[in-house]
Amino acid sequence: MAPPAQSHRSSSPSQPSGKGEVSDLKSQLRQLAGSRAPGVDDSKRDLFKKVISYMTIGIDVSAVFGEMVMCSATSDIVLKKMCYLYVGNYAKVNPDLALLTINFLQRDCKDADPMIRGLALRSLCSLRVANLVEYLVGPLGSGLKDNSSYVRIVAVMGVLKLYHISASTCVDADFPQTLKHLMLNDSDTQVVANCLTALQEIWSAEASTSEEASREREALLSKPVVYYFLNRIREFSEWAQCLVLDLAAKYVPSDNNEIFDIMNLLEDRLQHANGAVVLATIKLFLQLTLSMADVHQQVYERIKAPLLTLVSSGSPEQSYAVLSHLHLLVMRAPYIFSSDYKHFYCQYNEPSYVKKLKLEMLTAVANESNTYEIVTELCEYAANVDIPIARESIRAVGKIALQQYDVNAIVDRLLQFLEMEKDYVTAEALVLVKDLLRKYPQWSQDCIAVVGNISSKNVQEPKAKAALIWMLGEYSQEMHDAPYILESLIENWDEEHSAEVRLHLLTAVMKCFFKRPPETQNALGAALAAGLADFHQDVHDRALFYYRVLQHNVSVAERVVNPPKQAVSVFADTQSSEIKDRIFDEFNSLSVVYQKPSYMFTDKEHRGPFEFSDELGNLSIGAESAAGTVVPAHRVEANDKDLLLSTSEKEEIRGPSNNGSAYSAPSYDGSAISAASQALSELTILNPSVPGLTPQSSLAIDDLLGLGLPEIPSPAPAPSPPLLKLNSKAVLDPGTFQQKWRQLPISLSQEYSVSPQGVAALTTSEALLRHMQGHSIHCIASGGQSPNFKFFFFAQKAEELSTFLVECIINTSSAKAQIKIKADDQSASQAFSALFQSALSKFGVP
Amino acid sequence: MISQFFVLSQRGDNIVFRDYRGEIQKGSTEIFFRKVKFWKEDGQEEAPPVFNLDGVNYFHVKVVGLFFVATTRVNVSPSLVLELLQRIARVIKDYLGILNEESLRKNFVLVYELLDEVIQGTKRMPGTAVTKSVVANDPTGRRREEIFVDLIEKISITFSSSGYILTSEIDGTIQMKSYLTGNPEIRLALNDDLTIGRGGRSVFDYRSSSGTGAVILDDCNFHESVHLDSFEMDKTLSLVPPDGEFTVMNYRLTQEFKPPFRVNTLIEETGALKAEVIIKVRAEFSSSITANTIMVQMPLPKYTTRASFELEPGAIGQTTNFKEANRRLEWGLKKIVGGSEHTLRAKLTFSPESHGNITKESGPVSMTFTIPMYNASRLQVKYLQIAKKSGTYNPYRWVRYVTQANSYVARI
């Protein structure tokens, strides 16, 4: 353990100035060490306290290590505790000295008092010195068998610590098996819970090298074990309950009845006062019901009230953590929360990080029936003393307006903002009015009337100024003063510091020129001259471009700056739905608070419960990615509002034969575009019109290259080879992928060569996965970088729910791809392999 | 899961520091403190309770001005860590009696020990018999057999400028602190007519059962020690209370209730650069009840240069203040007796710079207060039954009610 950081501030009046005090302590301790005088323990206590208080404020008192150990021969439990604390802090940096402590700690591990046994064992395991591990095994072994549950609790965690210091020592002593036995048999739930923690960590770490550990880890997720925990969940402490719920979230129930049983069993956990328990339960419920649209929606309804209660009880910090999760759910399914909008009103005394979340929620839940009230409320905030929030509120009003509901009233309100004569309000409102006009050109009359009254001198913020100038250019016909305002702005060209504003000015004056040439001619000349002399590259280039295009042909120039425009229907969302899905998969983690998937803020080994094990876990992009890297067509297309809709469609299509696993493949057509892409992807591999697509021909080519592919065992003497069509919208959730990958045997393992063009195009893994998706082969996880890339793909047959899973490792320097295929229908894996290879061979070929 | 735990004073000094995994670089306490102190240059925004710097996640809760901080590199459940920090603070308070910098420094050995019990390995919350005996230097023996039950309600109301209630909510909690030896079972009976869940109705429905009859909670949650076996039938909670202070139940209701205070604000322009503000506060509760530590605040237009105040004749225990830095009017009242009304007049002077609509640029008026022996929800503890050990066993039971303002706002 590293000693605490040295503090530079003086933190306590008694802080010693230097080494003098430490050496004083040293000699005083030495005097007391051998003494057996009455009251010596009290003097020791005072000295120990001093040592520890120095240690806390960051003074290095490791110099008295020897003396502390000498003084530790005592029966005084308070002294012992202080000594343990001290030793734990300095042993790691003084491994030689740590050896001194082994003796008395080992002795204390045999003390008659279970408290001393436990504390000593804990200290012993906290030394974290690799060459002392041999001394741990004995005391740990007896600790695990101790008849005091306190000692057993400590011993179990001690085993985990030992594992981290020396994995082999821990495994060789067969401790994992002992823990497993305790986990399933101990009467104390805390011992049981600690065993679970320790075993999860140990077996996950071991699984990469040991088949057995991998099996054991699987066994933790087996039905009997998970049920053993779930049935006793009420006996566990609230913290251990979270652990059990996390475990259950990884379990894949076999059918819907099981799902309902689990949910009924845990229903009352939603009434727990501890937010961590409630959120862990909610995560489980949401995951279990992903494939059952109706129930999933019921879960949303059910968890509303508990979440709102948690948000309003507890400290602001606790409620923030819950509110972040509520925010995520609201953003995913706003219509479910639309009647709860008043809960998202801001309170004046809330911190701004809470207000920001609430404003986003209010924006999201606005619909036909509540927009008026929400906008009214937001307008109150616009006058707020808290300026950043006032700005956010105005933006929120704008966003609602752009969400297509009842724009009528909102436009009036926005225009009122412009009349409030507060600079920042005007600035924000101008930007919004501009966006609004791009979407609803029909409002130009009303807007222009108000915007025309704004003096450009009162608009200073670049974004707002740019918006105003854009409107002047766009509506120069309607705005009487437009040429003159632009002219005066151009006169002050040199004072305009924002390049963005100058760019807009150039374009606006061009637009104005074509509408009102005589009035604008001078201004245009001045603007082009100023632009050509501008030191900013973009401004200069644009001025030059306008100048030349005008010289070339005036009507072309007009078409360039004043083309017929279409109203914008949807503004691009800033966050992709893939990212949002990932965050949802990581519910009840920091990802939700940061609004980022975990790979964006944490390194692989620390991704916590989302650690996706197995081979997938070794990928650099996505440990948890398995939980998220899904790019199935359906998910990408679905916007948030479709969340439940699309799952319900899934439900219908799946039909009765499905056993409730979470994947399905809706083959409905969303749009003309997707229909086209589907048509593309449904090209059969035997389509004679596409040469090279048949397995035979592609194999023949490979053979010519001398790859020596294994001969294909002809798949039964079928009169016609199976026609393999893939579903372009196949969907498979990572959990199911993981489970299938574990269960299915490898049906085909091959090595392909990759074309030079393919190698050249494989600069990032994304490039390939987009390509493969075009062939209805979807990536579920990918990682690596040149020269080694690793991918997991899946595909589904178009007509039936038969899935292919592929592991594909590509080495770009050797231009080889190693493929492992697992399939529900093994007889089709040859055909699929050929299809896969053909798709891969086209990668990079224009 | 947790790498480090530390407690920092308001000035950023280390009071308690413990490193559990040795995986986070030195100086994390200073890195944390600097980040929190200077979250945004303008100082306008507070640092959120959770943030990530260079791969390290910092969690903090503020308790009595102290920062309780945990760090980790793992993508953990934020709720879990924040609940844990809050709990650590409370457990320490339970053991030390009082929680502040001094008491922490004086008792750090005990504090370290509590921490180890909580975070490292066992994670079992003190309060159970085990930890109690682990902790050697127990707080000096508690004197009497007694038990405290507090119903604390926090009110949030927003009045529109015309005095309508726009939103209202009561967030209540039942706190318990038991000093009963042997942890006997306790039964806590609430109103017979209590209902939970507002069925299919919209959550904000002011028509429902106003003024009389049933108490309808929107929702509630319970401490894990609470048994709800007979709750449906007789609205009784039974529990074996753990040591120290804890929350038995949290509840929330949006059912209509009578607001304890009405606030009227009038702003009038009285000259070229002058205006007068009149604020009236009326206490709408019984005269046998007295509210205390009332503070009324109102942001004034930013071009306000001066404010002079006029209190009603004979006013005692009232203070007035014009905070120039953030242009805010503050009116403090030591107490307000139920049924009474109090008025403040403030004469404002504005700077000659241009100004817009005075009313739009002032307000809203907000209030904070505490009203002992009053609860707006009418939720009650009907009785508090303690499992008897002997005929003579009759510990002291205290049931107290208090109502506070959470966000009490009147727009103008």
Side-chain angles (χ1 to χ4, degrees):
Chain A
M1 182 178 309
Q6 184 81 34
S7 167
H8 297 300
R9 282 176 294 275
S10 88
S11 12
S12 96
S14 62
Q15 179 164 348
S17 51
K19 287 178 181 156
E21 283 78 357
V22 178
S23 58
D24 257 13
L25 278 173
K26 201 178 168 93
S27 62
Q28 289 180 36
L29 282 166
R30 187 159 289 176
Q31 279 175 10
L32 292 176
S35 167
R36 298 207 178 274
V40 71
D41 278 350
D42 288 341
S43 330
K44 279 188 190 170
R45 275 197 193 191
D46 289 343
L47 283 177
F48 273 35
K49 270 194 178 170
K50 221 176 234 173
V51 170
I52 300 215
S53 75
Y54 287 174
M55 189 177 93
T56 295
I57 55 180
I59 292 165
D60 184 359
V61 281
S62 60
V64 300
F65 202 104
E67 287 73 15
M68 288 292 282
V69 173
M70 283 198 277
C71 284
S72 63
T74 172
S75 55
D76 183 292
I77 191 166
V78 178
L79 275 179
K80 274 193 192 296
K81 286 180 193 168
M82 287 196 275
C83 193
Y84 296 155
L85 194 63
Y86 174 87
V87 167
N89 213 21
Y90 287 114
K92 197 178 183 193
V93 283
N94 299 291
D96 297 340
L97 291 172
L99 191 60
L100 295 175
T101 65
I102 293 281
N103 239 339
F104 86 87
L105 287 175
Q106 275 190 326
R107 199 174 52 239
D108 284 355
C109 284
K110 292 179 186 138
D111 199 283
D113 182 348
M115 292 312 138
I116 293 189
R117 292 204 298 277
L119 290 170
L121 186 56
R122 175 186 294 164
S123 303
L124 197 56
C125 299
S126 301
L127 295 179
R128 279 194 255 159
V129 180
N131 57 12
L132 300 182
V133 289
E134 52 189 299
Y135 300 102
L136 297 186
V137 175
L140 275 175
S142 21
L144 291 173
K145 287 187 221 110
D146 202 292
N147 47 25
S148 156
S149 62
Y150 178 72
V151 179
R152 294 200 302 278
I153 288 170
V154 172
V156 173
M157 293 321 276
V159 168
L160 184 56
K161 283 181 203 154
L162 170 63
Y163 180 80
H164 286 304
I165 307 167
S166 167
S168 57
T169 312
C170 180
V171 175
D172 291 346
D174 211 22
F175 281 143
Q177 286 307 320
T178 316
L179 294 194
K180 184 180 170 188
H181 183 259
L182 275 180
M183 179 180 83
L184 299 173
N185 297 291
D186 203 284
S187 57
D188 187 288
T189 49
Q190 194 61 48
V191 174
V192 173
N194 283 4
C195 285
L196 176 60
T197 308
L199 286 176
Q200 279 182 323
E201 229 175 299
I202 293 173
W203 279 333
S204 295
E206 288 288 298
S208 55
T209 52
S210 151
E211 277 283 320
E212 190 205 339
S214 168
R215 269 198 310 279
E216 291 286 9
R217 194 187 46 176
E218 292 310 310
L220 284 180
L221 293 174
S222 67
K223 188 164 170 172
V225 174
V226 171
Y227 276 40
Y228 164 77
F229 279 105
L230 284 179
N231 285 323
R232 302 178 71 182
I233 192 163
R234 280 171 202 76
E235 299 163 29
F236 286 87
S237 78
E238 49 201 313
W239 316 104
Q241 289 185 16
C242 296
L243 193 67
V244 172
L245 291 164
D246 282 346
L247 178 79
K250 291 187 200 130
Y251 169 69
V252 186
S254 60
D255 59 28
N256 288 357
N257 287 333
E258 214 187 329
I259 290 176
F260 292 129
D261 286 347
I262 293 175
M263 288 173 60
N264 287 329
L265 180 72
L266 296 175
E267 161 69 24
D268 65 350
R269 295 300 92 193
L270 293 173
Q271 273 196 337
H272 205 289
N274 186 326
V277 174
V278 177
L279 284 176
T281 310
I282 290 176
K283 180 189 169 89
L284 177 61
F285 282 21
L286 289 172
Q287 283 201 341
L288 286 175
T289 56
L290 265 179
S291 62
M292 296 184 282
D294 302 351
V295 190
H296 196 64
Q297 180 151 354
Q298 277 175 27
V299 170
Y300 271 83
E301 296 284 355
R302 173 66 187 90
I303 63 186
K304 245 193 233 179
L307 281 173
L308 289 168
T309 306
L310 287 172
V311 169
S312 20
S313 57
S315 68
E317 294 91 359
Q318 288 159 302
S319 80
Y320 170 67
V322 179
L323 190 71
S324 305
H325 285 82
L326 186 60
H327 174 264
L328 173 79
L329 297 175
V330 167
M331 301 315 270
R332 263 186 103 75
Y335 53 97
I336 294 182
F337 295 89
S338 58
S339 61
D340 304 289
Y341 62 95
K342 286 197 179 181
H343 287 292
F344 311 142
Y345 283 2
C346 298
Q347 295 181 347
Y348 77 98
N349 49 359
E350 283 171 335
S352 40
Y353 53 80
V354 167
K355 287 182 179 164
K356 278 184 190 160
L357 287 180
K358 287 191 163 180
L359 289 176
E360 285 179 27
M361 288 151 90
L362 278 175
T363 313
V365 300
N367 65 12
E368 293 85 341
S369 60
N370 60 23
T371 289
Y372 182 81
E373 284 180 74
I374 290 177
V375 171
T376 306
E377 181 73 13
L378 288 171
C379 290
E380 289 284 341
Y381 308 154
N384 206 296
V385 282
D386 184 347
I387 292 176
I389 291 302
R391 284 176 180 272
E392 293 279 348
S393 307
I394 298 167
R395 275 175 229 154
V397 173
K399 276 188 206 151
I400 292 175
L402 295 174
Q403 277 170 12
Q404 79 220 318
Y405 305 114
D406 189 22
V407 195
N408 220 328
I410 303 178
V411 172
D412 285 350
R413 235 74 76 78
L414 275 179
L415 296 178
Q416 280 172 21
F417 285 149
L418 290 178
E419 288 160 353
M420 269 174 68
E421 295 182 32
K422 282 192 184 180
D423 294 348
Y424 60 89
V425 175
T426 310
E428 291 294 338
L430 273 176
V431 176
L432 287 179
V433 169
K434 177 207 65 180
D435 287 342
L436 216 57
L437 287 175
R438 290 172 62 200
K439 182 158 181 183
Y440 309 105
Q442 66 269 31
W443 289 103
S444 57
Q445 293 266 309
D446 304 64
C447 294
I448 291 317
V450 180
V451 172
N453 288 333
I454 295 172
S455 164
S456 60
K457 291 184 190 65
N458 292 343
V459 181
Q460 291 306 324
E461 290 176 32
K463 276 210 162 353
K465 210 165 181 177
L468 178 63
I469 290 169
W470 181 86
M471 287 186 270
L472 287 168
E474 197 64 27
Y475 297 96
S476 38
Q477 202 75 272
E478 294 86 348
M479 291 168 88
H480 184 71
D481 290 340
Y484 311 104
I485 299 172
L486 289 171
E487 190 166 357
S488 75
L489 286 168
I490 290 159
E491 277 166 19
N492 295 321
W493 186 275
D494 294 335
E495 276 104 75
E496 184 51 66
H497 298 294
S498 159
E500 185 192 0
V501 172
R502 298 201 298 275
L503 284 169
H504 271 276
L505 203 46
L506 275 175
T507 307
V509 78
M510 278 286 279
K511 288 177 182 169
C512 189
F513 171 73
F514 289 111
K515 287 170 184 160
R516 299 163 70 173
E519 291 161 286
T520 321
Q521 199 165 3
N522 284 340
L524 178 63
L528 289 177
L532 287 170
D534 204 283
F535 63 89
H536 193 277
Q537 193 66 51
D538 292 345
V539 178
H540 170 83
D541 288 357
R542 188 178 291 189
L544 191 62
F545 168 71
Y546 283 156
Y547 177 72
R548 290 196 173 143
V549 82
L550 280 168
Q551 265 190 330
H552 166 71
N553 183 333
V554 178
S555 69
V556 169
E558 180 167 16
R559 261 182 289 143
V560 168
V561 297
N562 276 338
K565 288 193 187 63
Q566 274 194 335
V568 179
S569 61
V570 182
F571 287 88
D573 204 340
T574 44
Q575 205 171 36
S576 77
S577 43
E578 184 201 338
I579 298 252
K580 289 181 196 164
D581 283 342
R582 262 203 200 210
I583 299 172
F584 181 71
D585 289 337
E586 298 177 356
F587 196 86
N588 195 22
S589 80
L590 288 167
S591 313
V592 177
V593 174
Y594 299 151
Q595 301 185 16
K596 283 177 192 162
S598 56
Y599 72 84
M600 290 189 184
F601 63 86
T602 192
D603 37 300
K604 191 195 138 277
E605 68 264 35
H606 291 116
R607 269 168 221 166
F610 308 101
E611 193 80 55
F612 186 37
S613 41
D614 245 336
E615 297 88 332
L616 291 175
N618 302 329
L619 296 178
S620 65
I621 292 191
E624 86 302 346
S625 73
T629 348
V630 204
V631 208
H634 136 87
R635 287 229 193 164
V636 173
E637 281 171 19
N639 70 29
D640 292 337
K641 295 209 175 85
D642 294 336
L643 167 71
L644 297 175
L645 183 70
S646 56
T647 28
S648 79
E649 273 163 327
K650 272 200 260 178
E651 185 71 3
E652 279 164 31
I653 287 158
R654 185 183 310 131
S657 69
N658 194 288
N659 64 358
S661 57
Y663 65 92
S664 69
S667 42
Y668 60 92
D669 288 345
S671 64
I673 295 165
S674 69
S677 70
Q678 185 152 0
L680 253 177
S681 63
E682 280 176 4
L683 286 174
T684 67
I685 54 161
L686 289 178
N687 188 337
S689 69
V690 184
L693 259 182
T694 64
Q696 288 84 356
S697 59
S698 63
L699 280 173
I701 293 167
D702 282 332
D703 257 355
L704 285 175
L705 293 171
L707 285 176
L709 285 174
E711 251 186 51
I712 306 167
S714 52
S720 62
L723 193 71
L724 183 60
K725 279 189 182 183
L726 295 181
N727 184 331
S728 67
K729 299 188 172 206
V731 176
L732 190 66
D733 71 307
T736 317
F737 183 98
Q738 198 183 359
Q739 201 193 15
K740 275 180 174 290
W741 187 260
R742 281 198 298 265
Q743 287 165 349
L744 292 169
I746 294 177
S747 60
L748 207 63
S749 180
Q750 291 187 332
E751 190 175 273
Y752 305 151
S753 67
V754 182
S755 69
Q757 297 100 312
V759 169
L762 190 56
T763 49
T764 63
S765 50
E766 282 76 19
L768 179 66
L769 60 93
R770 273 197 300 276
H771 168 81
M772 295 306 277
Q773 192 162 346
H775 293 264
S776 300
I777 296 167
H778 306 279
C779 182
I780 196 150
S782 67
Q785 47 190 291
S786 193
N788 283 302
F789 292 87
K790 187 166 178 180
F791 302 86
F792 284 90
F793 292 102
F794 69 94
Q796 275 163 9
K797 286 190 189 172
E799 285 90 1
E800 51 182 309
L801 278 172
S802 175
T803 309
F804 301 96
L805 310 178
V806 188
E807 179 199 84
C808 170
I809 300 167
I810 299 180
N811 184 307
T812 48
S813 56
S814 67
K816 289 274 175 354
Q818 286 179 328
I819 313 290
K820 281 187 192 135
I821 296 175
K822 300 186 176 188
D824 283 343
D825 174 7
Q826 299 207 19
S827 65
S829 40
Q830 272 301 346
F832 175 75
S833 163
L835 184 61
F836 186 89
Q837 191 185 358
S838 138
L840 189 62
S841 69
K842 292 211 206 77
F843 179 59
V845 180
Chain B
M1 177 185 70
I2 287 178
S3 272
Q4 299 169 321
F5 171 83
F6 47 90
V7 180
L8 300 187
S9 75
Q10 248 160 339
R11 293 160 301 155
D13 302 328
N14 276 11
I15 304 175
V16 174
F17 179 94
R18 198 85 164 99
D19 190 315
Y20 292 99
R21 293 189 151 230
E23 59 183 11
I24 286 172
Q25 74 278 30
K26 284 187 176 188
S28 55
T29 58
E30 296 204 7
I31 293 170
F32 164 80
F33 189 71
R34 219 174 299 126
K35 192 69 192 173
V36 165
K37 208 73 190 166
F38 307 105
W39 182 253
K40 285 275 154 72
E41 312 81 62
D42 59 4
Q44 279 224 6
E45 279 181 39
E46 239 180 288
V50 190
F51 54 83
N52 180 302
L53 280 178
D54 301 323
V56 179
N57 302 297
Y58 294 83
F59 296 79
H60 76 278
V61 302
K62 259 190 272 180
V63 185
V64 293
L66 302 170
F67 293 99
F68 284 72
V69 191
T71 62
T72 177
R73 287 184 174 274
V74 182
N75 186 17
V76 292
S77 156
S79 268
L80 185 73
V81 179
L82 291 168
E83 293 270 354
L84 198 63
L85 286 175
Q86 202 73 44
R87 195 67 57 85
I88 288 170
R90 199 158 71 199
V91 168
I92 293 177
K93 182 174 178 250
D94 281 342
Y95 276 85
L96 303 188
I98 181 165
L99 184 60
N100 58 32
E101 191 172 340
E102 198 197 340
S103 72
L104 281 173
R105 285 197 196 281
K106 267 192 182 155
N107 297 287
F108 56 84
V109 179
L110 171 61
V111 171
Y112 277 126
E113 188 142 9
L114 288 169
L115 272 179
D116 285 356
E117 289 302 315
V118 174
I119 292 183
Q120 200 173 19
T122 64
K123 259 210 254 169
R124 184 197 295 258
M125 277 298 156
T128 60
V130 174
T131 331
K132 191 92 186 186
S133 51
V134 174
V135 179
N137 13 13
D138 226 335
T140 45
R142 177 80 199 176
R143 42 298 158 182
R144 291 201 292 210
E145 286 288 299
E146 56 188 343
I147 180 165
F148 296 88
V149 177
D150 293 334
L151 261 89
I152 304 162
E153 298 195 338
K154 297 198 167 165
I155 302 187
S156 299
I157 288 194
T158 308
F159 296 100
S160 75
S161 51
S162 44
Y164 285 111
I165 296 175
L166 290 169
T167 60
S168 67
E169 179 167 307
I170 299 174
D171 299 313
T173 164
I174 303 182
Q175 298 275 349
M176 187 180 279
K177 202 190 277 184
S178 161
Y179 296 102
L180 306 177
T181 46
N183 294 3
E185 186 179 342
I186 289 178
R187 288 168 63 79
L188 203 66
L190 305 176
N191 310 36
D192 305 332
D193 53 4
L194 182 69
T195 16
I196 293 167
R198 295 170 61 97
R201 274 171 298 161
S202 123
V203 176
F204 286 85
D205 181 356
Y206 295 114
R207 284 161 303 171
S208 60
S209 62
S210 57
T212 55
V215 175
I216 304 170
L217 305 182
D218 289 34
D219 185 52
C220 55
N221 62 37
F222 302 95
H223 187 264
E224 62 172 349
S225 65
V226 177
H227 289 282
L228 296 168
D229 308 337
S230 62
F231 187 70
E232 276 299 308
M233 210 171 60
D234 57 9
K235 310 299 176 226
T236 303
L237 310 173
S238 61
L239 64 152
V240 175
D243 296 330
E245 190 174 359
F246 70 102
T247 302
V248 177
M249 172 182 177
N250 292 303
Y251 58 91
R252 175 169 62 81
L253 76 168
T254 47
Q255 184 187 17
E256 189 184 348
F257 60 92
K258 194 170 183 187
F261 291 102
R262 286 275 177 182
V263 186
N264 279 310
T265 309
L266 204 72
I267 304 185
E268 268 182 340
E269 226 160 324
T270 50
L273 297 166
K274 283 183 169 47
E276 188 177 46
V277 176
I278 302 168
I279 305 177
K280 274 197 178 118
V281 171
R282 199 167 65 242
E284 308 228 292
F285 43 87
S286 142
S287 58
S288 61
I289 289 168
T290 303
N292 54 45
T293 55
I294 300 103
M295 175 62 80
V296 181
Q297 303 193 35
M298 174 178 167
L300 298 172
K302 66 172 193 291
Y303 38 79
T304 312
T305 52
R306 227 162 58 81
S308 62
F309 299 98
E310 193 183 310
L311 290 167
E312 57 208 347
I316 38 168
Q318 297 191 19
T319 56
T320 54
N321 193 4
F322 171 57
K323 282 251 164 142
E324 241 182 302
N326 48 11
R327 305 285 196 290
R328 198 204 308 261
L329 168 167
E330 291 181 351
W331 176 26
L333 299 95
K334 246 199 191 114
K335 51 175 87 173
I336 297 183
V337 178
S340 65
E341 183 178 278
H342 298 273
T343 309
L344 172 75
R345 287 165 186 276
K347 291 188 165 38
L348 310 181
T349 312
F350 300 139
S351 66
E353 70 186 80
S354 74
H355 62 263
N357 186 324
I358 299 171
T359 314
K360 266 198 177 151
E361 300 193 24
S362 324
V365 178
S366 61
M367 256 185 110
T368 56
F369 52 78
T370 301
I371 319 177
M373 297 324 285
Y374 175 88
N375 75 330
S377 72
R378 288 174 292 111
L379 185 75
Q380 281 183 308
V381 175
K382 293 281 187 198
Y383 63 83
L384 174 65
Q385 207 175 56
I386 300 166
K388 281 237 166 93
K389 293 177 185 164
S390 69
T392 55
Y393 184 65
N394 196 13
Y396 294 89
R397 310 147 209 230
W398 308 95
V399 179
R400 302 178 292 196
Y401 296 86
V402 66
T403 291
Q404 292 170 331
N406 181 18
S407 163
Y408 207 88
V409 172
R411 291 183 175 153
I412 53 177

